[in-house]
Amino acid sequence: MCKLLRYISLFLITTCLLFACHASSPTEFKRPPLKVIFASFIGEYPGIIAQEKGFFKAQGVDVELMSKRYTQLERANFSAGKYDGITASLGSFIILSATNPDIQGVLVIDESTGADVVVAQPQIKTVADLQGKKLGANLGGFSELFVTEMLKSSKLTSDDVKLVKLEALEIPQGLKNNVIQAGHAWQPHLSEAIKLGGHILFTSKQTPGLILDMIIFRNDTIRDRPEDVRAFVRGWLQAETYWKANVQ
């Protein structure tokens, strides 16, 4: 009887220890997706490919990509901590970091060598023709820098034109309604502007090295989730490789 009680006691103790070990094991919570805001610029397409082909998940990170239509609003949301990462030009990164030093560029994704353009109404034949005219640009960022460099090519300054604050998606209708006579845009807004009678006046081929696009992350995300950020970069680069191998 004593031997039986001893076995029962050992069984109960062992069972309790097993449950105790199980209960003390840390619970693994699924990490939330990295929230990254991006635009429709062609240099940012690897993000879409990586998402659609599952490259981010294959590299070990869940990513939530969100499209930004209104650039400055989304930059403000990023600065306020609503997103982990954002795509932006080098010029925009410099401007952002002046007021928000807790950000860091992690990857240069493209250089604009003709994709950024100033599209104009038919009567504007040269950059010099813009003197006294209304020129649309997203002021306070790389867009303003780009049109300023364009004006320099004809020995003009921003004082020689009337700068109008417009997003790229607003340029086609702005030209059509004569709100502006020229404006900075890119695809798909460029094609729309040309369909409405506009023509290309100036391109970023004429400003080599001026417009670089980057992926920027918040420092707290980089600090707290370094492996996820590395996995994001690997997924993006994997998508670039896939794109080059499957252009069609």
Side-chain angles (χ1 to χ4, degrees), residues 126-158:
T126 68
V127 173
D129 293 339
L130 288 172
Q131 187 161 5
K133 300 296 192 297
K134 293 179 181 178
L135 175 59
N138 192 346
L139 306 183
F142 85 98
S143 181
E144 184 173 355
L145 175 63
F146 177 56
V147 299
T148 300
E149 288 298 308
M150 175 195 68
L151 293 170
K152 284 182 183 178
S153 70
S154 288
K155 298 182 179 178
L156 298 176
T157 71
S158 55

Side-chain angles (χ1 to χ4, degrees), residues 92-166:
S92 297
F93 171 69
I94 292 169
I95 291 168
L96 267 175
S97 62
T99 55
N100 185 1
D102 294 326
I103 60 175
Q104 185 173 328
V106 300
L107 182 67
V108 174
I109 58 176
D110 64 52
E111 176 185 352
S112 181
T113 56
D116 285 86
V117 307
V118 172
V119 59
Q121 292 177 337
Q123 74 275 15
I124 306 295
K125 305 295 185 185
T126 68
V127 173
D129 293 339
L130 288 172
Q131 187 161 5
K133 300 296 192 297
K134 293 179 181 178
L135 175 59
N138 192 346
L139 306 183
F142 85 98
S143 181
E144 184 173 355
L145 175 63
F146 177 56
V147 299
T148 300
E149 288 298 308
M150 175 195 68
L151 293 170
K152 284 182 183 178
S153 70
S154 288
K155 298 182 179 178
L156 298 176
T157 71
S158 55
D159 293 331
D160 295 312
V161 300
K162 297 174 183 177
L163 290 177
V164 179
K165 183 177 174 61
L166 290 176

Side-chain angles (χ1 to χ4, degrees), residues 29-75:
F29 292 101
K30 186 179 185 301
R31 295 188 303 276
L34 286 178
K35 293 184 177 180
V36 180
I37 191 87
F38 77 111
S40 60
F41 191 70
I42 190 169
E44 301 175 44
Y45 286 3
I48 301 172
I49 295 171
Q51 190 80 311
E52 293 296 322
K53 294 292 182 182
F55 295 153
F56 288 134
K57 288 187 177 180
Q59 294 294 342
V61 63
D62 191 14
V63 176
E64 182 180 350
L65 285 181
M66 294 162 287
S67 178
K68 63 182 178 195
R69 285 176 58 82
Y70 296 98
T71 306
Q72 290 189 329
L73 172 63
E74 299 307 344
R75 282 184 200 150

Side-chain angles (χ1 to χ4, degrees), residues 138-232:
N138 192 346
L139 306 183
F142 85 98
S143 181
E144 184 173 355
L145 175 63
F146 177 56
V147 299
T148 300
E149 288 298 308
M150 175 195 68
L151 293 170
K152 284 182 183 178
S153 70
S154 288
K155 298 182 179 178
L156 298 176
T157 71
S158 55
D159 293 331
D160 295 312
V161 300
K162 297 174 183 177
L163 290 177
V164 179
K165 183 177 174 61
L166 290 176
E167 298 273 355
L169 61 88
E170 300 172 302
I171 295 299
Q173 287 301 316
L175 290 170
K176 180 182 177 182
N177 298 331
N178 204 35
V179 173
I180 54 173
Q181 285 72 60
H184 172 211
W186 52 81
Q187 295 291 14
H189 318 300
L190 170 59
S191 293
E192 184 182 351
I194 290 174
K195 285 179 183 177
L196 294 174
H199 72 100
I200 294 174
L201 182 69
F202 189 88
T203 84
S204 52
K205 282 183 180 178
Q206 294 156 271
T207 57
L210 183 69
I211 303 176
L212 300 175
D213 288 315
M214 312 171 65
I215 298 173
I216 302 164
F217 275 91
R218 297 175 54 80
N219 280 346
D220 53 358
T221 301
I222 295 172
R223 181 193 65 233
D224 298 338
R225 303 177 62 179
E227 290 305 320
D228 285 344
V229 174
R230 292 188 187 100
F232 178 92

